[in-house]
Amino acid sequence: MPIYPVKDNKPTRNAFGEAMAELGQSNPDVVVLCADLKGSLKLEKFSENHPDRYFSIGIAEADMIGTAAGLAIGGKIPFTATFAEFSTGRVYDQIRQSVAYSNTNVKICASHAGLTLGEDGATHQALEDIGLMRALPGMTVIVPCDANETYSATMAIAKFKGPVYLRFGRPNQPNFTEINPDFQIGKANVLNPGKDVTIIATGILVWKALEAAEILQAEGLTVRVINIHTIKPLDVEAIVTAAKETGAIVTAEEHQKNTGLGDAVAHVISTQFPVPLEIVAVNDTFGESGLPDELLTQYGLSTQDLVKAAKKAISRKK
Amino acid sequence: MTHSELQTISRQLKRDVIKMITHAESGHPGGSLGMADIFTALYFSEMKHDPAKWPSVEGQDLFFLSNGHIAPIWYATLARTGYFPLAELSTLRKIHSRLQGHPATKEGLPGIRVASGSLGQGLSVAIGAAMAYKLDNRPEWIYVAMGDGELNEGQIWEAAMNGPHQKVDNLIAFVDRNRLQIDGSTEVVKKLDPLPDKWKAFGWNVLEINGHDFAEILAAIAKAKTNLGTGIPTVIIANTVMSKGVSFMENIAKWHGTPPTKEMEAKALIELAPTEWKDYDDPAARVYKGRN
Ligand SMILES: Cc1ncc(C[n+]2csc(CCOP(=O)(O)OP(=O)(O)O)c2C)c(N)n1
Ligand SMILES: [Mg+2]
């Protein structure tokens, strides 16, 4: 199987900050709006280098989304920056009306997504954001798997015209992809070939999918691993091909089972090519305070959970 | 209780906060320390509340924490007034704990009636509770605390319009006016001044106090209570110092949400001299059983 050496361990939000600093230099239309979380979103460099294009909005997320829509109408490319929960649930209708329905060119950039935000606990752990955003017509939803992919995706959405939700996180994370100046929104990446089962993973679960594939490989099974960094528009072809060629699918995400990647994939395979499907996700519950790895284990998102789900999917093949 | 006794309790609560957050290796010391005096005045002197009656609201003043990140001072206060065992304070922010990073009801911690942490929602909830108390002719009071950065949120101002509209003169709101939020000065991040004028324009009875002076805190509450019958709610803008009582942490935005190191904890605990209430991990630690 292809080996992915870990370049370093790095939070995805750091790469977001680096990409914003680069975009500040290369694209004069890029502006940033931040809701009192400059340090958390790593925007110090952008704000220092471009004080005229960095707007401190304060803790006023609803106002931030509306203001971003106005800036987009005025010809700018606004990037909004706060935690995932306050980027989505807090401001759902502002996004729905002023961004998605009005098709304004706003980039909603959301850090500290999911359980791995850690000790702050459930109030801050966005587990419904992918569902909320993918429900909106016209919204593009991107969840990069590591720091380098976050960098690539951030650069790509600046070039792309239309509303985007970009989801990343707080903890250190194995950084194993190459920076890709040609990042294709909507195009899944097959990271590992395999015939017995496919794990379709997004965000930080992609690395765990590779770990699970390695464990299963040692047991004589071959596992296709797909990094589905774009949840919407979904790469239907990659999913249907995987269903046809491997006959069993596991999805993996740091999100609620209801409304997430698993639901999106279930829709595709049940309507186009039904095969056994196992969904690894948070099972209809809120999170809690704890350390990132403790929480992933507690809520069924560990590498071992992926291994078990893969075996179960394979065993359900007719 | 004398003001000097209240000062001692406040110092003990600050010791508790420093120890809890250092042990948790994460959390929000700045606002917790800065609001210790107001929590002490409320729970140890002013409020009518009885943990033995929990969760009934019968005969109870209610307190809501809108700026949920300062949960450590609330947890220390609740444990020291008998809502749950002191030993639990050492579980702050750990997995399976009832002491979540931000106040939560799901784990069943006594003393907490609604989750907070996502800012801007607590004043609305407190006004709702005050409306319910009015409907039932309850004579008890509703208290709520908010951060000053938190006032950036639009929902606060929707609630600010609603308070006088619903005539909840049984509500007393506190603003922790420490002039800091995460990204720095409140006036740089999103200008708030002139803050008293804003609340006055929304129809509130506005009092401004030194939030570290027990005489001023208690006098302001007494004054707010004379407003009963006017239909006008009160907001007390408490001028405070972030991290008050620990010299090297005072008035620095970084301490909004950074845990002290072990060495800093030791230094802080020297500045906050030990009290006869004893630290929570001391078997002789005291819980207030006085005024129920
Ligand atoms: C809706 C929402 N947006 C952002 C945050 C992140 N956040 C937590 S505390 C805080 C700053 C609060 O400032 P202030 O109310 O002045 O509290 P202090 O720092 O003085 O304790 C921010 C931005 C949040 N918890 N909720
Ligand atoms: Mg403040």
Side-chain angles (χ1 to χ4, degrees):
Chain A
M1 86 187 248
I3 296 169
Y4 292 92
V6 176
K7 299 174 187 1
D8 51 3
N9 271 294
K10 187 170 168 178
T12 47
R13 59 180 166 140
N14 290 29
F16 169 72
E18 289 160 17
M20 291 315 299
E22 174 58 33
L23 280 171
Q25 303 295 340
S26 61
N27 191 335
D29 286 333
V30 167
V31 299
V32 172
L33 300 86
C34 183
D36 196 20
L37 287 167
K38 190 201 287 183
S40 294
L41 277 283
K42 303 291 171 194
L43 290 166
E44 292 96 340
K45 214 166 186 180
F46 186 99
S47 70
E48 275 160 32
N49 294 347
H50 313 285
D52 53 327
R53 288 190 275 140
Y54 174 85
F55 301 111
S56 171
I57 298 293
I59 315 165
E61 295 82 5
D63 186 48
M64 176 166 75
I65 296 295
T67 307
L71 280 157
I73 290 164
K76 301 299 161 192
I77 308 172
F79 284 64
T80 66
T82 180
F83 292 167
E85 177 53 27
F86 315 136
S87 292
T88 57
R90 180 89 188 174
V91 292
Y92 181 70
D93 189 51
Q94 282 79 12
I95 296 175
R96 184 175 182 273
Q97 175 170 296
S98 302
V99 179
Y101 183 41
S102 302
N103 194 29
T104 51
N105 192 23
V106 175
K107 316 302 173 188
I108 299 160
C109 301
S111 182
H112 292 56
L115 295 169
T116 53
L117 160 136
E119 301 94 322
D120 275 348
T123 54
H124 287 51
Q125 287 162 335
L127 292 172
E128 301 83 25
D129 56 321
I130 293 175
L132 286 170
M133 291 300 105
R134 87 177 181 88
L136 290 170
M139 183 63 78
T140 293
V141 180
I142 302 178
V143 187
C145 67
D146 69 359
N148 281 348
E149 192 168 74
T150 304
Y151 185 95
S152 308
T154 306
M155 300 304 287
I157 64 173
K159 281 185 265 175
F160 174 84
K161 204 156 163 47
V164 175
Y165 178 61
L166 180 69
R167 182 202 217 224
F168 45 94
R170 173 182 185 236
N172 259 325
Q173 172 72 9
N175 189 23
F176 64 97
T177 65
E178 300 294 334
I179 287 183
N180 178 9
D182 196 29
F183 179 87
Q184 296 292 314
I185 294 169
K187 184 97 190 70
N189 298 329
V190 177
L191 296 181
N192 193 55
K195 289 202 294 272
D196 296 313
V197 62
T198 301
I199 303 179
I200 302 176
T202 196
I204 64 165
L205 268 292
V206 173
W207 179 253
K208 293 200 182 292
L210 288 170
E211 287 179 337
E214 214 173 309
I215 292 168
L216 290 161
Q217 191 144 305
E219 298 180 20
L221 295 162
T222 67
V223 181
R224 183 175 304 185
V225 176
I226 294 180
N227 167 19
I228 195 123
H229 51 65
T230 307
I231 310 288
K232 188 176 185 176
L234 199 60
D235 189 340
V236 171
E237 198 190 318
I239 295 166
V240 173
T241 305
K244 284 182 182 158
E245 294 179 1
T246 69
I249 289 182
V250 173
T251 62
E253 66 199 295
E254 191 188 8
H255 187 271
Q256 296 285 1
K257 206 168 257 189
N258 296 325
T259 77
L261 168 67
D263 270 6
V265 170
H267 179 88
V268 170
I269 64 171
S270 62
T271 53
Q272 302 206 24
F273 196 87
V275 296
L277 169 70
E278 293 295 324
I279 296 174
V280 174
V282 176
N283 194 7
D284 201 19
T285 179
F286 290 103
E288 66 176 286
S289 295
L291 299 173
D293 282 336
E294 282 177 346
L295 292 168
L296 291 177
T297 302
Q298 168 80 10
Y299 289 85
L301 305 183
S302 69
T303 302
Q304 278 309 324
D305 292 304
L306 282 174
V307 169
K308 259 186 255 160
K311 287 182 179 168
K312 190 163 172 208
I314 292 167
S315 75
R316 287 174 52 210
K317 285 193 197 181
K318 289 205 189 82
Chain B
M1 216 180 263
T2 67
H3 293 177
S4 129
E5 284 171 310
L6 292 174
Q7 275 159 10
T8 304
I9 292 169
S10 173
R11 193 165 82 237
Q12 184 58 55
L13 295 178
K14 290 180 186 181
R15 288 181 66 87
D16 293 345
V17 161
I18 289 287
K19 285 170 62 80
M20 289 161 70
I21 296 176
T22 307
H23 183 66
E25 297 180 62
S26 76
H28 301 80
S32 293
L33 297 171
M35 285 292 280
D37 294 326
I38 285 165
F39 274 79
T40 305
L42 285 174
Y43 273 86
F44 290 82
S45 176
E46 190 61 40
M47 275 169 56
K48 202 173 138 201
H49 69 107
D50 182 357
K53 302 259 167 63
W54 174 263
S56 171
V57 298
E58 201 60 50
Q60 306 292 304
D61 287 347
L62 303 184
F63 175 81
F64 295 96
L65 183 66
S66 190
N67 47 336
H69 59 277
I70 71 167
I73 184 61
W74 199 14
Y75 295 154
T77 303
L78 289 171
R80 290 281 181 181
T81 48
Y83 282 84
F84 55 84
L86 282 175
E88 236 173 302
L89 293 179
S90 64
T91 68
L92 175 71
R93 290 179 159 251
K94 307 276 186 204
I95 197 160
H96 305 318
S97 172
R98 296 199 292 178
L99 277 62
Q100 289 292 298
H102 292 80
T105 55
K106 184 167 165 267
E107 293 77 13
L109 190 70
I112 295 173
R113 296 179 191 273
V114 70
S116 59
S118 179
L119 295 167
Q121 305 188 22
L123 183 59
S124 303
V125 177
I127 289 171
M131 290 162 66
Y133 270 35
K134 286 269 169 196
L135 283 172
D136 289 349
N137 294 311
R138 292 186 190 277
E140 290 84 17
W141 289 82
I142 307 295
Y143 297 90
V144 57
M146 296 169 270
D148 53 358
E150 183 182 15
L151 303 187
N152 298 164
E153 287 289 359
Q155 187 182 345
I156 293 285
W157 299 99
E158 296 176 21
M161 263 185 277
N162 198 34
H165 185 76
Q166 305 297 345
K167 301 191 169 51
V168 285
D169 53 16
N170 54 343
L171 178 132
I172 301 174
F174 284 88
V175 174
D176 177 17
R177 186 71 173 115
N178 61 13
R179 308 192 81 86
L180 291 176
Q181 57 195 99
I182 292 181
D183 283 353
S185 156
T186 54
E187 302 315 293
V188 174
V189 175
K190 178 56 70 74
K191 185 166 151 19
L192 266 186
D193 278 334
L195 186 57
D197 292 355
K198 288 191 167 81
W199 286 97
K200 275 179 208 153
F202 277 73
W204 289 64
N205 175 37
V206 183
L207 304 173
E208 257 200 290
I209 60 165
N210 172 351
H212 303 302
D213 181 323
F214 283 104
E216 287 195 31
I217 298 168
L218 295 171
I221 297 171
K223 186 145 183 241
K225 288 188 171 179
T226 65
N227 251 30
L228 204 60
T230 64
I232 300 174
T234 295
V235 60
I236 299 174
I237 299 176
N239 291 305
T240 60
V241 175
M242 182 178 273
S243 316
K244 173 78 175 171
V246 180
S247 61
F248 59 92
M249 293 170 68
E250 279 184 4
N251 207 21
I252 301 171
K254 171 193 156 190
W255 294 106
H256 157 86
T258 308
T261 62
K262 272 281 176 199
E263 297 73 51
M264 289 171 175
E265 176 191 42
K267 268 174 74 181
L269 292 179
I270 290 168
E271 291 194 18
L272 301 164
T275 82
E276 66 264 26
W277 289 76
K278 307 283 188 202
D279 291 337
Y280 61 77
D281 46 6
D282 184 327
R286 270 169 61 185
V287 171
Y288 183 59
K289 298 240 168 58
R291 180 188 181 274
N292 295 323

